[in-house]
């Protein structure tokens, strides 16, 4: 019997997993296709919930832009568990698609944004202090269903309660975090890691500008446009990223990619906002050689048994 995972049978085939809204992939993801082709690897988009796709025909299935799964997370996680040669692995997908993983990272000593949780049906009132807060669902992407509230404003307080109630009515867990004002000046730093022969290695970093201008009124689209620019990672940011990645269940050596999103905390030291291991934008177009490094990371996983 021929093992369909052996590249010796012919040109290796890689699925780049996307959604129906991005049938031809997100523009940044397309940058890896030519570098893979230059090494004899055929890569093509495949929609995660398309029943016509035979996932077993691929030597590797790479999660890229399945950005419509948030309202069907259980279905998505079940699909991931059925797909052979999926990266990142299905158990990581299950763990990482619900942001309650932040509690685990915090307990492990990773500096994270303080986060509270409101379960569906649980009553909630805004805290008495008059700071700014971010409210969003624990399963989300691209700042969808996310709002920023100034609790010194009585209207914002009412809108914050309505936001939590709206998410709870939809059966969604709400997460509530203080708004870190450094994002308005320093922005958010995303550190990108890609697989190499010795495991995950730092590739590049970018700056994301502030995205949240005010309350969420329940009219968001699929995702919001981000203001992106290249950035040089600082030593303290790299240290937090390495500490974060060391806590990933099963270890970081299994991962194809990782994105660690950081913001300066009140004292200026970096704190984790999110650890993106499922379908992060990798911002390949913002760093010289990044598409080639992702192609090599994919080839590294193709060579694994």
């Amino acid at each position: 019997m021929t093992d369909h995972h052996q590249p010796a049978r012919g040109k290796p085939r890689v699925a780049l997993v996307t959604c129906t809204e991005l049938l031809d992939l997100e523009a940044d993801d397309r940058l890896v296709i030519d570098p893979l082709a230059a090494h004899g690897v055929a890569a093509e988009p495949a929609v995660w919930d398309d029943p016509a796709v035979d996932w077993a025909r691929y030597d590797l299935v790479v999660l890229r832009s399945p950005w419509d799964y948030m309202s069907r997370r259980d279905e998505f996680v079940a699909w991931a568990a059925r797909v052979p040669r999926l990266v990142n692995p299905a158990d990581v997908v299950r763990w990482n698609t619900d942001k309650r993983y932040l509690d685990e990272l915090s307990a492990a000593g990773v500096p994270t944004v303080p986060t509270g949780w409101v379960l569906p049906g649980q009553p909630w009132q805004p805290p008495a202090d008059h700071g700014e807060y971010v409210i969003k669902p624990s399963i989300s992407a691209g700042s969808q269903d996310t709002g920023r509230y100034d609790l010194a404003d009585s209207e914002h307080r009412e809108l914050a309660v309505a936001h939590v109630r709206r998410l709870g009515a939809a059966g969604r867990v709400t997460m509530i975090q203080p708004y870190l004002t450094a994002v308005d000046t320093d922005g958010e730093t995303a550190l990108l890691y890609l697989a190499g022969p010795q495991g995950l290695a730092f590739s590049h970093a970018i700056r994301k500008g502030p995205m949240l201008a005010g309350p969420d009124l329940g009219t968001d689209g699929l995702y919001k446009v981000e203001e992106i620019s290249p950035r040089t990672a600082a030593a303290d940011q790299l240290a937090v990223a390495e500490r974060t990645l060391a806590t990933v269940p099963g270890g970081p050596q299994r991962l194809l990619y990782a994105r660690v999103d950081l913001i300066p905390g009140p004292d200026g030291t970096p704190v984790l906002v999110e650890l993106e291991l499922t379908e992060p934008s990798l911002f390949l177009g913002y760093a010289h050689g990044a598409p080639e490094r992702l192609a090599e990371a994919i080839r590294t996983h193709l060579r694994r048994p």
Side-chain angles (χ1 to χ4, degrees), residues 17-145:
V17 180
T18 185
C19 58
T20 54
E21 289 85 355
L22 295 165
L23 290 174
D24 294 322
L25 299 173
E26 198 259 345
D28 197 67
D29 288 334
R30 291 196 292 270
L31 296 176
V32 77
I33 293 177
D34 285 347
L36 283 172
H39 289 283
V41 178
E44 62 188 32
V47 175
W48 74 272
D49 58 352
D50 181 352
V53 176
D54 178 8
W55 300 103
R57 68 193 289 261
Y58 294 105
D59 298 286
L60 200 66
V61 179
V62 178
L63 287 164
R64 289 310 318 122
S65 49
W67 292 340
D68 61 352
Y69 77 83
M70 280 69 70
S71 63
R72 296 182 290 155
R73 185 254 184 177
D74 289 348
E75 179 184 345
F76 180 69
V77 167
W79 165 83
R82 296 193 301 268
V83 175
R85 301 279 287 175
L86 181 73
V87 285
N88 285 329
D91 63 307
V92 171
V93 170
R94 176 182 291 278
W95 179 76
N96 187 241
T97 48
D98 188 325
K99 292 181 177 62
R100 282 179 284 184
Y101 67 77
L102 289 170
D103 278 354
E104 294 184 38
L105 297 183
S106 179
V110 175
T112 62
V113 180
T115 306
W117 312 94
V118 183
L119 301 179
Q122 186 176 8
W124 178 80
Q125 288 296 321
D129 69 78
H130 287 169
E132 287 191 277
Y133 285 82
V134 174
I135 294 175
K136 59 184 175 181
S138 67
I139 299 171
S140 64
S143 294
Q144 186 178 10
D145 300 316

Side-chain angles (χ1 to χ4, degrees), residues 36-294:
L36 283 172
H39 289 283
V41 178
E44 62 188 32
V47 175
W48 74 272
D49 58 352
D50 181 352
V53 176
D54 178 8
W55 300 103
R57 68 193 289 261
Y58 294 105
D59 298 286
L60 200 66
V61 179
V62 178
L63 287 164
R64 289 310 318 122
S65 49
W67 292 340
D68 61 352
Y69 77 83
M70 280 69 70
S71 63
R72 296 182 290 155
R73 185 254 184 177
D74 289 348
E75 179 184 345
F76 180 69
V77 167
W79 165 83
R82 296 193 301 268
V83 175
R85 301 279 287 175
L86 181 73
V87 285
N88 285 329
D91 63 307
V92 171
V93 170
R94 176 182 291 278
W95 179 76
N96 187 241
T97 48
D98 188 325
K99 292 181 177 62
R100 282 179 284 184
Y101 67 77
L102 289 170
D103 278 354
E104 294 184 38
L105 297 183
S106 179
V110 175
T112 62
V113 180
T115 306
W117 312 94
V118 183
L119 301 179
Q122 186 176 8
W124 178 80
Q125 288 296 321
D129 69 78
H130 287 169
E132 287 191 277
Y133 285 82
V134 174
I135 294 175
K136 59 184 175 181
S138 67
I139 299 171
S140 64
S143 294
Q144 186 178 10
D145 300 316
T146 301
R148 171 182 174 181
Y149 299 89
D150 180 355
L151 298 186
D153 184 315
S154 59
E155 182 181 3
H156 275 223
R157 294 179 73 87
E158 292 178 5
L159 289 171
V161 172
H163 189 174
V164 173
R165 186 182 300 120
R166 183 167 63 250
L167 293 175
R172 306 174 79 180
V173 175
T174 301
M175 54 191 296
I176 300 169
Q177 300 174 318
Y179 185 79
L180 300 181
T181 57
V183 75
D184 294 328
T185 52
D186 294 352
E188 186 174 323
T189 300
L191 282 68
L192 286 304
Y193 286 76
L194 299 173
Q198 306 303 317
L200 277 185
F202 175 71
S203 171
H204 58 286
I206 59 94
R207 175 190 184 275
K208 295 195 288 182
M211 296 177 62
L212 299 178
D216 173 76
L217 302 177
T219 57
D220 282 352
L222 180 61
Y223 58 91
K224 296 177 180 178
V225 177
E226 298 175 313
E227 176 191 323
I228 307 298
S229 58
R231 168 164 276 179
T232 299
D236 58 350
Q237 293 173 328
L238 291 167
V240 170
E242 296 288 345
R243 188 173 180 181
T244 301
L245 292 170
T247 68
V248 174
Q253 69 279 357
R254 299 188 301 150
L255 305 179
L256 174 68
Y257 53 67
R259 197 183 87 200
V260 183
D261 293 346
L262 305 173
I263 294 177
D267 64 356
T269 60
V271 296
L272 179 73
V273 182
E274 291 186 23
L275 172 61
E276 299 273 10
L277 304 178
T278 302
E279 31 62 42
S281 294
L282 296 176
F283 306 110
L284 301 177
Y286 292 87
H288 178 72
E292 290 74 19
R293 288 192 291 276
L294 177 58

